[in-house]
Amino acid sequence: MSRIRRRQDSPSDIRLEIFPVPGIPEVQEGDDVGKLISAAMPDLRDGDILVVTSKVSSKAEGRTRRGLTRVEAVAAETTRVVARRGETVIAQTAHGFVMAAAGVDASNTEPGTVVLLPVDPDASAAAVRTSIKERLGVSVGVVVSDTFGRPWRNGQTDMAIGVAGVTPMLDYRGMSDDHGNALEVTMTAVADEFAAAGDLVKGKLAQTPVAVIRGMAEYTTEEDGPGVRELVRQSEDDMFRYGSRDVLFARRTVRGFSAEPVDGAKVRRAVEAAIAAPAPHHTTPWRFVLLESPEIRVKLLDAMREAWIADLHGDGFSEEAIARRVKRGDVLRAAPYLVVPCLVMDGSHTYRDDRRNTAEREMFVVAAGAGVQNLLVQLAVEGLGSAWVSSTMFCRDVVREVLDLPPGWDPMGAVAVGRPAAPPRDRAPRQADDFIVTR
């Protein structure tokens, strides 16, 4: 990421030109896009920045598909569905872009075909740049652009999906404004600004897929540069990673954790989500014990293991079988953070017969489960992995004693929390219809 210096010239000295490149023919597979641009605009200059619609690179690189519906193409290009409303799908691509229809386009292409994004848009930009350098002897910057929608804003704009020879991002952090205020988070996505500026003159219907931006040579570089990756926010920094469609599916059981410490503030935000769960009689039947001390975690798990082994011996299990079962608790030992959710029956009703009393407790248990589910989902939204393990339910007295909990707090398992050491395995395929009975 480039650090920018203040301009020495005044704004009145800046002259910026943006104009389309006419005369580029319909691009076919195998075409050299740089050659086509050079022929159409032979008077390109050093420091010019070209904004090239991604579709021309896609067509030249054989990314047109025939006999594939748009829905099928979107599914094939999607690595993660972020949101869905009707037939509109916002999806993440293998590049890391989050965009409508995973970038699949059925416009400005022959009927019965769809166009996919380039496999490596940075390489596409670099290839155009190299070709123009070889033919015209000038060094230009290249931005490959595509259309994106934006959260909280109507309408679309072009953004950069590939960059070569252009500084993609400017970092103003640490500088001061004219009032002496320190700039702490200001970073400008100049490659996206160039993409949007180029789209003003290319248009969507004029079939002019290339624009030239002249007067911004200071933003060009000798080398191809880092490409578009500076503009793609990493998942751990993405506050809006999960859309409405897949937020529940973000929760996965994680059994291997890295040694990275867990931010307790994230866990507390997950508890805020947990206590938003429904509960009977306007009660609050949840309590959450956060085990942030390594010493208390080890003390609890050691005591639980001893109780578990004693129970298994009493049940007549062999030493080998006991060892296998006890090993299941390793997921709790591997986690850098534990949460023990507890059920409290404050506010519950007492009835004359056991049937209704049993139903009353079951209502509270269901509410506790809803709270735990909310906790697990919000942990995933916070970028943390988790695993709910039921073991504390088999030695409640031991847990209450070690953690010094009130007699009315009923431990409902334990939740291992941490950064996943590896991506979780794919879910077993399940179809909703297999679990539905209609009357």
Side-chain angles (χ1 to χ4, degrees), residues 37-324:
I37 296 172
S38 298
M41 183 65 65
D43 58 344
L44 287 173
R45 304 176 188 174
D46 284 324
D48 283 347
I49 296 172
L50 303 182
V51 180
V52 181
T53 301
S54 64
K55 191 171 295 179
V56 300
S57 292
S58 294
K59 289 180 176 180
E61 295 166 15
R63 295 286 284 165
T64 301
R65 297 291 181 266
R66 185 179 298 278
L68 195 64
T69 69
R70 192 165 186 263
V71 172
E72 292 170 335
V74 170
E77 292 294 291
T78 294
T79 61
R80 181 174 66 93
V81 174
V82 175
R84 187 192 303 271
R85 179 174 294 171
E87 295 185 358
T88 300
V89 177
I90 308 299
Q92 183 173 4
T93 70
H95 317 82
F97 309 140
V98 176
M99 56 196 309
V104 175
D105 201 342
S107 64
N108 289 318
T109 185
E110 292 181 17
T113 66
V114 294
V115 182
L116 315 181
L117 293 180
V119 173
D120 184 347
D122 286 334
S124 302
V128 171
R129 186 173 188 242
T130 298
S131 178
I132 290 173
K133 177 73 171 178
E134 291 173 349
R135 283 168 173 78
L136 303 181
V138 296
S139 179
V140 299
V142 178
V143 173
V144 176
S145 69
D146 208 296
T147 303
F148 283 70
R150 300 155 301 156
W152 311 294
R153 304 282 285 189
N154 288 321
Q156 294 79 38
T157 186
D158 267 27
M159 296 186 190
I161 67 166
V163 182
V166 176
T167 298
M169 181 95 77
L170 295 180
D171 188 355
Y172 290 86
R173 291 173 299 176
M175 300 180 66
S176 299
D177 63 18
D178 290 339
H179 298 283
N181 300 309
L183 302 179
E184 297 179 356
V185 296
T186 303
M187 295 181 288
T188 300
V190 287
D192 285 341
E193 293 181 329
F194 291 143
D199 190 53
L200 291 173
V201 298
K202 288 188 297 172
K204 299 299 182 188
L205 302 176
Q207 294 187 328
T208 51
V210 181
V212 178
I213 299 176
R214 183 166 290 168
M216 295 279 105
E218 65 190 271
Y219 295 110
T220 60
T221 60
E222 278 193 41
E223 304 299 324
D224 287 338
V228 79
R229 65 176 178 270
E230 286 189 353
L231 299 174
V232 179
R233 193 184 300 276
Q234 298 302 304
S235 60
E236 58 268 22
D237 299 323
D238 188 351
M239 296 174 66
F240 310 101
R241 175 170 173 76
Y242 296 108
S244 57
R245 189 265 178 194
D246 68 344
V247 64
L248 290 177
F249 296 94
R251 187 215 63 78
R252 303 293 300 278
T253 296
V254 174
R255 301 193 180 277
F257 299 94
S258 73
E260 183 179 347
V262 170
D263 182 354
K266 294 184 175 183
V267 178
R268 285 164 172 79
R269 288 196 291 270
V271 172
E272 290 178 0
I275 61 178
H281 313 319
H282 305 288
T283 59
T284 54
W286 324 274
R287 302 293 185 271
F288 295 89
V289 186
L290 309 185
L291 305 189
E292 298 184 330
S293 161
E295 293 76 19
I296 195 64
R297 290 198 299 272
V298 171
K299 182 179 179 180
L300 174 65
L301 295 176
D302 285 349
M304 288 171 55
R305 181 176 58 189
E306 291 177 9
W308 197 2
I309 290 174
D311 285 344
L312 293 171
H313 274 137
D315 292 335
F317 283 91
S318 68
E319 294 296 334
E320 182 180 355
I322 290 173
R324 284 199 306 269

